[in-house]
Amino acid sequence: MQTLSFEFPAGQPPRGRALVGCVGSGDLEVLIEPGLAGKLTIQVQTSVNGSEQRWQHLFARMFDGQMPPALAIDIHDFGATPGVVRLRLEQGFEEIGHD
Amino acid sequence: MVSTFLAHDLLWGMTPQPLPADAPAWVIDSLSLGQPVVVRRAITAPGHIAVGVRGVSREQRYATSMPVAAIQRRVRPEELCHVALRRDVPALQALAQLRPMLDASGWIWGVSGSAGFELASGIEALHARSDLDLILRTPQPLDRIEARDLLAQLDGSTCAVDMQLQTPFGAVALREWAGSARRVLLKDNRQARLVTDPWQPSLEQVA
């Protein structure tokens, strides 16, 4: 088990919070909460060692060309593929949008 | 040999021969010892089947493909429900506890993951903190209230139980289907997607 931290420039915090995903192999659990203005912080707890670069690339691609809202994202990963990670994050963003 | 293989089936007969040159040494060891491989959800070349090789540690999972012609034996998860194994680990205790309830459920169920691997091969794969992985064949819909009831029963056992529902369109986690999310993750051979009904998936978001 490894814990990784990432930080990206962001806009203003939203109001809502969201919990999406599932504990189980090949999946992940994502908790999204309002962060401090100007900052998007992500903590990843993963069962897959040595995956820091992969996560960095995935987040950089997702937030490329747009200023994301200020969020504190907490991820518990159980060996999800990048495609599944992306789906879960998008699902979480959608849920805070609905609140 | 029936040619329809389903995710979680265990297959014997794969040799290290077709592996690429950069395959890790533990993969070659596992196959040289005659250990089974696990069918994965993925599309592969004609005449081949997508499989995973297991190593001793949790990180040791290797995705590859196996020629169908090499298959010597297949064991499906539902054939493992009543295999007796004397080993004092929580996953097998939980299996013994849950067996009567699952047998009476009216659905076909099976054992996958480390427990399935150990029951099928006799090779020790479970340890004290291993979850119990189960599958449930659900050709007809299991509604979300039934899912909640089933999950409550699984959560009452001595170790964490991870059950995947196998619908005609792919697999969905019972825990998620029993929860409150509007859309749930459905995985099939080609993709993962978020759907509102795993038995009637309309294409929504694709990974």
Side-chain angles (χ1 to χ4, degrees), chain B residues 99-109 136 146 150 153 163:
Chain B
R99 190 177 285 124
M101 182 275 286
L102 290 166
D103 280 344
S105 72
W107 301 99
I108 291 175
W109 63 284
L136 195 68
E146 292 174 281
L150 181 54
Q153 302 198 60
M163 179 181 266

Side-chain angles (χ1 to χ4, degrees), chain A residues 26 47 83 88 90-91 94, chain B residues 59 176 183 185 187 205 207:
Chain A
S47 57
R88 289 302 194 191
E90 283 165 5
Q91 187 184 19
E94 207 181 280
Chain B
E59 288 82 40
E176 187 172 22
R183 295 193 298 159
L185 192 80
K187 288 181 184 175
Q205 255 177 301

Side-chain angles (χ1 to χ4, degrees), chain B residues 34-104:
Chain B
Q35 299 196 358
V37 296
V38 189
V39 176
R40 294 184 293 125
R41 282 180 201 285
I43 304 247
T44 184
H48 286 71
I49 182 127
V51 295
V53 184
R54 291 180 66 101
V56 182
S57 88
R58 208 191 149 96
E59 288 82 40
Q60 291 180 333
R61 301 288 184 272
Y62 184 80
T64 183
S65 71
M66 174 178 186
V68 172
I71 298 170
Q72 290 170 352
R73 181 179 168 222
R74 171 182 63 170
V75 171
R76 305 170 77 184
E78 49 266 57
E79 295 167 43
L80 300 170
C81 302
H82 296 92
V83 174
L85 198 63
R86 278 170 179 264
R87 264 242 293 151
D88 195 20
V89 285
L92 294 180
Q93 290 161 3
L95 179 61
Q97 276 175 357
L98 294 170
R99 190 177 285 124
M101 182 275 286
L102 290 166
D103 280 344

Side-chain angles (χ1 to χ4, degrees), chain A residues 22-27 78, chain B residues 7-10 38-39 54 58 61 76-82 89-96 98-99 102 108-120 125-137 150-151 154-155 157-166 171-175 187:
Chain A
C22 197
V23 174
S25 53
D27 211 326
F78 305 93
Chain B
H8 306 292
D9 286 358
L10 293 163
V38 189
V39 176
R54 291 180 66 101
R58 208 191 149 96
R61 301 288 184 272
R76 305 170 77 184
E78 49 266 57
E79 295 167 43
L80 300 170
C81 302
H82 296 92
V89 285
L92 294 180
Q93 290 161 3
L95 179 61
L98 294 170
R99 190 177 285 124
L102 290 166
I108 291 175
W109 63 284
V111 190
S112 56
S114 309
F117 187 88
E118 180 160 339
L119 290 172
L126 291 164
H127 51 79
R129 282 173 298 129
S130 296
D131 293 354
L132 174 61
D133 294 306
L134 299 175
I135 61 146
L136 195 68
R137 307 252 184 239
L150 181 54
L151 181 68
L154 299 186
D155 280 349
S157 52
T158 48
C159 93
V161 182
D162 184 3
M163 179 181 266
Q164 298 282 322
L165 307 176
Q166 312 286 314
V172 63
L174 172 72
R175 186 169 303 282
K187 288 181 184 175

